[in-house]
Amino acid sequence: MMNRKHHWLYHAILCGAALLASIAPSLAQQKSDTKSGVPQTLISTAPQHLLFGINLGVERALSPKFSLGADLTTHLWLLEMPNIAISPMARYYFSGTFGSGFYAQVKAVAGSFFGTTTALGKPYYAGGGVGCGFLRPIGNSGRWYLGAEAGLKLAFPFGPDNRSVGGGEWGIAYYSLLSPASIPELSIRIAYRL
C-alpha cells in the first residue's frame, strides 16, 4: 500500500509525464515557419491559481494559426481537498497569428483529488470545454505576452465513493467555480517565448 504522505508526489509525477506526453507530438515537429518570426513555443501561467497552488502551461505552434498545448494545475494549499489536473488544448488563432491575436480553443481536463476528502466524494474528474481568448506581446523584448481567456467546461467526478465529502457548500462552490474543473473559466495569462 502506498504511503499517504507521498501520495501527492506520485500524482504530480504522473501528471507531469502526461503533460509531456500530450505535447510531445508538437515538440517533435520541425519549426513550421521560421522566416516569419512567429514564436514557436510559449510557457505560461495563470496567476489567479497562485491563491491555491501552481499553474504551468506550454503551447507549441504547429502553424502560424494553429497550436497545441497543455496546462498542469495543482491546488495544494489553503484547501482541505488538494488536487492536481492536466488540461490538453488545441487553439486556432482566427485573428492575428500564434502569440499575437484572438483565438478559439478546445480543452479537455482530467484531475485527481489526493487528500482524504474531495469536493463531491469521488477521487477523480474529467471533462472538456470550449473557450476563446487573446494574447498580445508586451514590452520591447518581444518575449513576454499578456492575455485573457474565457470559456465553459463540464467535468464529471468519477471513481469509488471511498473518500469523505469536504467543505460542504464551500466544497461544491470550489469545485464548480474555482477548481481546475470549474464550469466557467475566466483567467489572465502571462506567457514567455522560448
Side-chain angles (χ1 to χ4, degrees):
M1 185 170 183
M2 192 181 307
N3 185 348
R4 289 250 183 226
K5 282 181 127 177
H6 299 294
H7 191 64
W8 66 271
L9 178 63
Y10 299 123
H11 280 278
I13 291 169
L14 287 174
C15 286
L19 174 68
L20 290 174
S22 69
I23 63 170
S26 65
L27 290 174
Q29 180 179 349
Q30 294 290 332
K31 289 188 177 181
S32 58
D33 192 7
T34 56
K35 292 181 182 176
S36 70
V38 173
Q40 296 299 313
T41 303
L42 294 175
I43 294 179
S44 64
T45 189
Q48 65 275 5
H49 286 290
L50 294 176
L51 179 63
F52 299 118
I54 299 167
N55 172 270
L56 180 63
V58 175
E59 184 180 1
R60 174 82 173 163
L62 298 180
S63 75
K65 293 281 194 182
F66 185 72
S67 68
L68 292 178
D71 281 341
L72 179 65
T73 306
T74 61
H75 284 187
L76 302 172
W77 46 79
L78 300 179
L79 296 170
E80 62 179 287
M81 53 197 123
N83 66 93
I84 191 165
I86 186 166
S87 301
M89 70 190 110
R91 288 182 176 160
Y92 179 77
Y93 287 81
F94 56 88
S95 170
T97 58
F98 173 74
S100 180
F102 290 92
Y103 59 82
Q105 75 178 5
V106 178
K107 181 183 257 190
V109 64
S112 171
F113 289 97
F114 49 87
T116 57
T117 60
T118 69
L120 299 174
K122 308 257 185 204
Y124 308 107
Y125 54 88
V130 295
C132 62
F134 73 91
L135 271 178
R136 293 283 182 221
I138 56 173
N140 295 330
S141 69
R143 290 180 117 18
W144 290 97
Y145 297 81
L146 181 64
E149 59 186 51
L152 293 172
K153 67 177 175 282
L154 196 53
F156 298 99
F158 65 93
D161 289 326
N162 61 356
R163 311 243 178 126
S164 62
V165 177
E169 290 181 12
W170 157 246
I172 294 171
Y174 164 77
Y175 182 81
S176 59
L177 298 174
L178 300 172
S179 77
S182 64
I183 296 169
E185 184 173 31
L186 299 169
S187 65
I188 295 169
R189 178 99 16 212
I190 298 170
Y192 179 78
R193 178 174 57 93
L194 295 178

